[in-house]
């Protein structure tokens, strides 16, 4: 079945430490891939997106993500986490190539940052 | 520039009562989406509009949910009658057609059905 999986429901990291959030997808072909962030009480905000080309994409707020076709993964990374990065992170795919932005979201990973 | 505006932010109702949510998208965005977000889950698409036309409503439970987007700008999502399982956050988003994947979300309307 087609799906987007974020294996980690909750992650806690220390401020200043590196971060990697995992995302795997299950589709026949490479979909368009996205990471969104949702701060408490806020709407979702796009961090970055991948369509094709360079498999390492840069986003806002110092985030980057790497697409690995062989692993069907699109993991989000940040070298040094700030307390303000505490939020819910959603991986999403558009499996039908820009046919209206029908995004399929993973269940999310909640990030906590400890001092 | 104003973002996507939703109201009300919070709504508490008794089951079997009706409820309506309103969304004002970003000016110039002709694509509008309603997503449902259950606690601890990612958003799920309910309906997508291109201008006034609902082009994807396959996930909308049509027995009790309805939506409209008159004049291709504001949109209203209605539930009648509400059930306990409808307690969730209802998110509205908008985008330019062809602007792949960058949806701009409102803050959501949190519904509690008692």
């Amino acid at each position: 079945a087609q799906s987007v999986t974020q294996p980690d429901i909750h992650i806690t990291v220390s401020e200043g430490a590196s971060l990697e959030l995992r995302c795997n997808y299950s589709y026949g072909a490479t979909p368009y891939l996205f990471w969104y962030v949702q701060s408490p009480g806020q709407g979702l905000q796009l961090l970055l997106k991948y369509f094709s080309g360079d498999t390492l994409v840069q986003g806002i707020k110092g985030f980057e993500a790497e697409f690995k076709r062989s692993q069907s993964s699109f993991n989000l990374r940040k070298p040094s986490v700030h307390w303000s990065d505490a939020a819910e992170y959603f991986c999403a795919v558009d499996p039908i190539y820009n046919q209206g932005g029908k995004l399929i979201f993973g269940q999310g990973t909640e990030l906590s940052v400890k001092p | 520039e104003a973002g996507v505006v939703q109201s009300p932010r919070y709504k508490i109702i008794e089951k079997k009562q009706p409820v309506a949510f309103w969304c004002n998208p970003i000016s110039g965005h002709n694509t509008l989406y309603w997503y449902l977000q259950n606690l601890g889950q990612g958003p799920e698409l309910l309906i997508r509009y291109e201008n006034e036309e609902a082009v994807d409503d396959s996930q909308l439970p049509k027995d009790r949910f309805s939506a409209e987007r008159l004049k291709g700008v504001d949109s209203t999502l209605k539930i009648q009658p509400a059930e306990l399982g409808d307690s969730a956050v209802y998110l509205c988003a908008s985008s330019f057609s062809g602007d792949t994947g960058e949806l701009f979300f409102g803050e959501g309307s949190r519904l509690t059905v008692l």
Side-chain angles (χ1 to χ4, degrees), chain A residues 63-75:
Chain A
F63 285 91
E64 66 179 27
E66 185 172 14
F67 167 62
K68 293 186 177 180
R69 184 187 306 275
S70 62
Q71 299 177 16
S72 296
S73 69
F74 188 56
N75 293 350

Side-chain angles (χ1 to χ4, degrees), chain B residues 30-32 47-54 67-69 75:
Chain B
N30 54 337
T31 306
L32 184 144
I47 190 168
R48 174 170 63 90
Y49 283 93
E50 291 288 343
N51 300 305
E52 305 87 4
E53 183 182 0
E68 61 182 10
R69 191 184 184 197
S75 178

Side-chain angles (χ1 to χ4, degrees), chain A residues 17-49:
Chain A
S18 63
L19 170 70
E20 182 169 29
L21 302 182
R22 297 182 290 164
C23 173
N24 294 93
Y25 63 90
S26 174
Y27 289 92
T30 301
Y32 291 169
L33 297 159
F34 310 87
W35 276 98
Y36 278 80
V37 61
Q38 185 177 33
S39 298
Q42 302 296 312
L44 282 76
Q45 180 184 22
L46 180 68
L47 284 175
L48 47 78
K49 57 188 178 183

Side-chain angles (χ1 to χ4, degrees), chain A:
Chain A
Q2 297 180 334
S3 65
V4 180
T5 302
Q6 294 180 244
D8 304 305
I9 294 174
H10 189 198
I11 285 182
T12 300
V13 299
S14 297
E15 190 167 16
S18 63
L19 170 70
E20 182 169 29
L21 302 182
R22 297 182 290 164
C23 173
N24 294 93
Y25 63 90
S26 174
Y27 289 92
T30 301
Y32 291 169
L33 297 159
F34 310 87
W35 276 98
Y36 278 80
V37 61
Q38 185 177 33
S39 298
Q42 302 296 312
L44 282 76
Q45 180 184 22
L46 180 68
L47 284 175
L48 47 78
K49 57 188 178 183
Y50 172 78
F51 298 156
S52 64
D54 192 346
T55 57
L56 185 64
V57 294
Q58 302 297 319
I60 62 171
K61 304 185 180 185
F63 285 91
E64 66 179 27
E66 185 172 14
F67 167 62
K68 293 186 177 180
R69 184 187 306 275
S70 62
Q71 299 177 16
S72 296
S73 69
F74 188 56
N75 293 350
L76 182 71
R77 301 195 295 245
K78 186 169 186 177
S80 178
V81 169
H82 188 263
W83 64 266
S84 60
D85 293 324
E88 186 96 24
Y89 291 80
F90 294 95
C91 180
V93 306
D94 178 353
I96 39 180
Y97 300 102
N98 192 28
Q99 292 193 20
K102 182 177 181 177
L103 298 185
I104 310 298
F105 286 86
Q107 70 177 59
T109 297
E110 183 180 0
L111 173 66
S112 296
V113 180
K114 58 183 181 181

Side-chain angles (χ1 to χ4, degrees), chain B residues 43-100:
Chain B
E44 300 172 36
L45 182 67
L46 288 172
I47 190 168
R48 174 170 63 90
Y49 283 93
E50 291 288 343
N51 300 305
E52 305 87 4
E53 183 182 0
V55 297
D56 185 351
D57 63 355
S58 57
Q59 302 301 311
L60 189 72
K62 299 181 182 64
D63 57 336
R64 296 183 301 106
F65 287 64
S66 64
E68 61 182 10
R69 191 184 184 197
L70 300 176
K71 300 182 181 179
V73 181
D74 294 359
S75 178
T76 302
L77 177 70
K78 298 178 181 178
I79 308 174
Q80 182 170 10
E83 296 179 352
L84 295 176
D86 296 331
S87 295
V89 177
Y90 293 84
L91 295 167
C92 180
S94 69
S95 69
F96 287 112
S97 289
D99 191 1
T100 305

